Amino acid sequence: MGAQDRIAKSSIKVKLTKSFSIAILIPSLVAAAVGVLMIREQIYEQAQAQVTSDLESAKEIYQNYLERLKDSLRIHATRMIVYGALEKNDPGGAFPREMERIRKAEKLDVLTLTDTSGNVFYRTCNPIFRGDSQTRDPFVKYVLQNKEPVSSTDIVAPEELLKESRGLADKASMEIKFTPKAGPPSRTHLDSGMMLKGAAPVFTADNRFVGVLMGGVLLNRNYDIVDKIRKTVFKLESYEGQQVGTATIFQDDVRISTNVQNEEGDRAIQTRVSAEVAQAVLKGGNTWRSRAFVVNDWYIAAYEPVRNLVGDTIGMLYVGSLERPYQDMLWKNLYVFLGIILLAVASISVVAIRVANHISQPIRAMADAAKKISEGDYSQKVEVSSETEIGFLANNFNSMVSELARAHQELRDWGETLERKVEQRTAELKAMQAHLIQSEKLAGVGKLAAGVAHEINNPLTCVLTNSSLMLSDLPPNHPQREDLQTIVDETLRCRKIVKGLLDFARQTKPQKQPLDLNKVAEDVILLVKNQASFQSIAIRTELDSKLPAVLADADQMRQVVLNIILNAADAMSQGGSLSIRSCYDSKTKEAMLKISDTGPGIPEEIQNKLFEPFFTTKKTGTGLGLAIAYGIMERHKGKLKVESSPGRGTTVSVILSTEVKTADD
Ligand SMILES: Nc1ncnc2c1ncn2[C@@H]1O[C@H](COP(=O)(O)OP(=O)(O)OP(=O)(O)O)[C@@H](O)[C@H]1O
Ligand SMILES: [Mg+2]
């Protein structure tokens, strides 16, 4: 993994985005979880409330049936045809027909008239069977005692049903089917029936109590009430082909009337309620509300106990609303809710990424700039886009970069200066070395010359003396006179060379005294101006009268100036002008004599050889003039400077410091 990748993975941007994401995700997940629970709770609460109100409506409908039964019995009991038959103790005539008409009109399964002793006077469905006592029937008993109408639900024994008809007994009779969640079955068969029952006192026109009119509707396999509930309460609503609302009447824990359908699409009678509900409602006598798995689907259900006349729980009334619509509504709500959360997370994430970018981008730019700076590019600048801490950092970064650039430039300049200084110093050293070589050369030549000169001087004097004597002895026209003259001249020349060598070699320590260089110049001019070689030369002087004195050996300095002036004269053998100037340089504190001629100048290629001993371009020159002068100036710690431009002339400067030197004085 490259450094770049590592940076990318651990970059501020990634870290910030991660932190933001965690900060967003955790509350979002909590919000989602809480939201889901709340929505679920609310939807179930709403469903429960709905079912509770549905149950109330169902109870109302059930109660209405009972009230209507009671009312119709009360009304029919006051009719003349009813009490007339009892009064006359004659169930014949139009009476049976009327009873049958009433029974059918009121949709009754049982319509029986008893006398005041509770014995059956007329059984509409089975007129032949009469005279049996109904005093044990709670409704008949109640009316006999209270003389007022009554209605309620009741369990009717199979023998009582048989008294009416076999058909009625068969209608009530049921095989109980196995139901998974129900408790252990206590029986396999249901013989008795559950009835809406009522009874009313029969009064004559003169208000005499003559009997009891008793009626009943068997609820087993009778779907009027449950279908009415579904129609009225649930408006026959259906959801994806399945009915939403269902109602059931239980006899004890067995479904005897229902519109819940089984898998085959038949009414799911003969099945049992779950043990849990049976326990709560039948045993506990309480209303029960919850989701319940009814036959083959989940319902939001409510169960209400159904009681008989004396208040014993004998069955249940159930209403249930299919859970699926609520479930789907829950999911729909959840999808919307989660969608909103997702949208919020997404938009917050976008903002988070932008913020992270905003923070990391300038830092990234600074890192990039720092990298380029480390590679030597000091022109880097980062953009200061905000007035936040990061903007402040960018600002400081920029000033740091310019400070760095300045320091770097300074360092480079300093390096260059150093280089220049080294070069200069090297040049100086080279010059010094050359100077040293020159001095050593001079010293070597000097020693050699001194020995040679000393040895040659005596024989030379002898030759010169003898040849001079011989010459003076010869008559003027003697043919050998010319040769002898040549011997004398050449010997003289030899002596000159020897003298020069001795002068050069002597190198005596200068006797330094305060000396006026003007005086030196004047002495030398006086010495030479009458000589033949100066006759065609104009001598000009320009001497500074305020020239400070120098410490020097007067003889040696004269020798220097003389040698220079003689060279100038040699250079101007065809005539010219010699100018001698003196001046003082207050800056360097040096006094100098500048001797200029208008001769041909010195060719450039020989300018560096002038001070070498025996270097000459002249026929009769020794090449020692400037070498001697140089040696003298050196011993005076002075300088000898030759400036010459070929064709225009030469200026030789004799320079001495006016500062008192103590080193080797
Ligand atoms: N003023 C000048 N103008 C032109 N050339 C000069 C001048 N001074 C010196 N020179 C050159 O420098 C050479 C060396 O001079 P230097 O005085 O040492 O020796 P020389 O003059 O040749 O011999 P000597 O001094 O013994 O007569 C000369 O031969 C000459 O070529
Ligand atoms: Mg000379």
Side-chain angles (χ1 to χ4, degrees):
M1 186 168 66
Q4 285 289 351
D5 291 345
R6 268 202 310 279
I7 288 173
K9 274 195 181 162
S10 61
S11 78
I12 293 178
K13 185 179 156 187
V14 171
K15 280 188 178 162
L16 279 175
T17 312
K18 266 191 199 165
S19 315
F20 276 139
S21 308
I22 290 168
I24 299 158
L25 267 182
I26 289 173
S28 302
L29 289 177
V30 171
V34 171
V36 166
L37 286 178
M38 273 173 62
I39 290 173
R40 190 169 177 273
E41 193 69 13
Q42 218 166 5
I43 285 180
Y44 274 105
E45 241 167 53
Q46 190 193 331
Q48 288 288 350
Q50 185 61 48
V51 168
T52 304
S53 112
D54 292 346
L55 182 67
E56 283 308 311
S57 309
K59 265 163 70 182
E60 194 73 27
I61 290 166
Y62 189 87
Q63 207 54 42
N64 267 348
Y65 269 85
L66 284 174
E67 286 303 315
R68 232 189 62 207
L69 176 64
K70 188 166 80 177
D71 283 349
S72 62
L73 286 173
R74 183 174 54 79
I75 290 163
H76 290 299
T78 56
R79 291 180 59 196
M80 201 184 83
I81 192 156
V82 176
Y83 69 76
L86 271 173
E87 263 186 329
K88 283 187 255 157
N89 196 20
D90 177 16
F95 174 71
R97 262 200 323 277
E98 185 54 22
M99 284 294 271
E100 184 60 17
R101 195 194 61 77
I102 293 169
R103 191 185 72 80
K104 283 202 170 134
E106 302 297 339
K107 291 185 177 166
L108 299 175
D109 291 309
V110 174
L111 184 63
T112 300
L113 194 62
T114 70
D115 56 22
T116 49
S117 326
N119 295 326
V120 174
F121 170 73
Y122 187 76
R123 185 175 262 111
T124 313
C125 294
N126 191 10
I128 301 155
F129 194 82
R130 55 189 295 253
D132 55 311
S133 172
Q134 287 293 324
T135 46
R136 276 190 305 166
D137 182 288
F139 295 84
V140 174
K141 200 169 142 194
Y142 180 90
V143 175
L144 288 177
Q145 275 170 12
N146 300 301
K147 314 282 187 301
E148 60 180 41
V150 70
S151 69
S152 185
T153 317
D154 202 17
I155 301 294
V156 182
E159 55 273 21
E160 285 302 319
L161 295 172
L162 270 172
K163 283 179 189 170
E164 297 297 321
S165 71
R166 165 135 301 272
L168 196 65
D170 287 349
K171 197 178 171 189
S173 157
M174 280 179 187
E175 284 295 331
I176 299 172
K177 289 180 182 164
F178 170 77
T179 319
K181 283 188 171 185
S186 54
R187 62 212 145 144
T188 58
H189 199 264
L190 203 64
D191 298 321
S192 52
M194 189 153 98
M195 268 192 180
L196 296 183
K197 252 171 104 172
V202 181
F203 289 106
T204 60
D206 50 354
N207 216 15
R208 251 182 325 111
F209 175 65
V210 289
V212 178
L213 183 63
M214 194 262 283
V217 180
L218 187 70
L219 294 173
N220 303 43
R221 292 192 173 94
N222 176 344
Y223 307 113
D224 283 357
I225 296 179
V226 289
D227 287 350
K228 171 99 177 180
I229 290 173
R230 192 163 87 81
K231 192 173 159 193
T232 316
V233 178
F234 298 106
K235 315 271 186 293
L236 297 175
E237 265 177 74
S238 67
Y239 186 81
E240 292 172 359
Q242 194 167 354
Q243 56 191 36
V244 173
T246 53
T248 300
I249 296 167
F250 288 87
Q251 178 180 340
D252 198 16
D253 65 346
V254 182
R255 286 184 181 84
I256 54 164
S257 170
T258 186
N259 39 39
V260 175
Q261 288 173 342
N262 61 20
E263 266 131 29
E264 290 82 46
D266 300 329
R267 292 179 191 260
I269 51 168
Q270 295 161 271
T271 53
R272 294 167 65 214
V273 80
S274 70
E276 191 188 1
V277 176
Q279 178 65 30
V281 184
L282 293 173
K283 298 247 163 60
N286 300 313
T287 305
W288 194 87
R289 282 182 213 91
S290 183
R291 60 196 291 263
F293 190 79
V294 178
V295 186
N296 52 20
D297 220 331
W298 283 96
Y299 286 81
I300 312 283
Y303 295 81
E304 174 78 15
V306 173
R307 295 190 170 88
N308 65 10
L309 193 62
V310 293
D312 297 331
T313 303
I314 52 165
M316 295 181 289
L317 179 65
Y318 149 92
V319 288
S321 191
L322 197 63
E323 194 191 50
R324 216 138 25 87
Y326 290 105
Q327 203 81 274
D328 290 352
M329 183 159 76
L330 176 68
W331 281 117
K332 220 160 86 184
N333 276 309
L334 285 185
Y335 287 148
V336 170
F337 180 73
L338 291 176
I340 290 170
I341 282 189
L342 220 68
L343 206 75
V345 168
S347 49
I348 293 172
S349 297
V350 169
V351 172
I353 288 168
R354 287 191 70 132
V355 168
N357 253 337
H358 188 70
I359 294 172
S360 75
Q361 202 265 331
I363 293 176
R364 191 83 208 211
M366 275 187 264
D368 288 349
K371 190 164 176 281
K372 282 187 183 150
I373 289 165
S374 73
E375 286 161 3
D377 177 3
Y378 290 90
S379 65
Q380 293 301 313
K381 269 217 146 44
V382 293
E383 202 181 317
V384 183
S385 55
S386 65
E387 286 186 3
T388 58
E389 288 87 339
I390 288 178
F392 182 64
L393 183 67
N395 226 339
N396 282 354
F397 180 85
N398 284 342
S399 31
M400 187 190 77
V401 172
S402 42
E403 186 57 29
L404 211 61
R406 196 189 59 72
H408 187 258
Q409 185 57 42
E410 228 168 56
L411 213 63
R412 214 162 43 193
D413 291 352
W414 192 71
E416 276 168 13
T417 313
L418 204 67
E419 223 164 84
R420 262 204 313 279
K421 277 191 175 162
V422 168
E423 269 169 20
Q424 195 181 329
R425 201 86 189 108
T426 311
E428 276 175 22
L429 271 169
K430 269 187 184 160
M432 256 167 85
Q433 206 176 17
H435 182 73
L436 215 65
I437 289 167
Q438 177 76 1
S439 302
E440 273 171 9
K441 240 187 211 168
L442 292 182
V445 170
K447 267 187 196 154
L448 181 72
V452 173
H454 188 75
E455 291 301 318
I456 289 174
N457 217 17
N458 289 340
L460 213 54
T461 311
C462 184
V463 172
L464 186 61
T465 314
N466 289 331
S467 56
S468 297
L469 284 174
M470 279 169 76
L471 191 63
S472 58
D473 288 348
L474 281 182
N477 297 321
H478 194 277
Q480 287 188 321
R481 199 178 168 87
E482 201 176 327
D483 295 338
L484 212 53
Q485 186 61 50
T486 308
I487 291 171
V488 171
D489 288 349
E490 288 304 305
T491 311
L492 273 172
R493 205 165 88 84
C494 283
R495 268 179 56 133
K496 187 189 165 199
I497 293 169
V498 168
K499 188 180 171 286
L501 275 172
L502 284 173
D503 282 349
F504 177 69
R506 207 174 288 130
Q507 298 196 348
T508 45
K509 199 178 176 201
Q511 300 298 308
K512 290 184 185 172
Q513 282 173 343
L515 182 69
D516 179 5
L517 282 179
N518 288 343
K519 179 82 172 47
V520 172
E522 280 164 357
D523 285 353
V524 176
I525 292 166
L526 207 65
L527 190 73
V528 298
K529 70 174 180 189
N530 292 318
Q531 286 189 16
S533 52
F534 285 85
Q535 295 316 303
S536 54
I537 295 169
I539 301 174
R540 278 198 315 220
T541 54
E542 207 177 301
L543 302 175
D544 182 359
S545 56
K546 287 181 189 146
L547 191 72
V550 293
L551 264 185
D553 184 314
D555 281 342
Q556 291 187 6
M557 289 318 293
R558 275 195 286 272
Q559 174 83 64
V560 170
V561 175
L562 179 68
N563 288 0
I564 294 166
I565 288 181
L566 288 178
N567 280 348
D570 287 345
M572 299 186 290
S573 52
Q574 307 298 315
S577 86
L578 175 73
S579 88
I580 301 161
R581 288 184 295 130
S582 69
C583 62
Y584 174 68
D585 187 339
S586 57
K587 263 193 209 156
T588 56
K589 300 217 164 79
E590 286 169 332
M592 57 190 85
L593 280 178
K594 287 176 174 260
I595 300 151
S596 309
D597 63 57
T598 54
I602 307 168
E604 210 149 316
E605 60 272 18
I606 64 164
Q607 280 187 12
N608 58 344
K609 293 180 181 163
L610 299 180
F611 300 124
E612 278 184 12
F614 307 115
F615 175 75
T616 181
T617 57
K618 298 168 191 167
K619 231 182 179 172
T620 57
T622 63
L624 289 169
L626 286 180
I628 291 167
Y630 185 87
I632 292 170
M633 288 313 290
E634 193 163 62
R635 286 195 290 281
H636 280 79
K637 307 229 164 7
K639 285 181 254 173
L640 201 59
K641 214 160 92 187
V642 180
E643 294 159 287
S644 182
S645 37
R648 264 191 275 162
T650 305
T651 298
V652 181
S653 305
V654 177
I655 304 164
L656 280 169
S657 174
T658 58
E659 296 258 83
V660 180
K661 297 257 174 66
T662 51
D664 48 16
D665 294 345

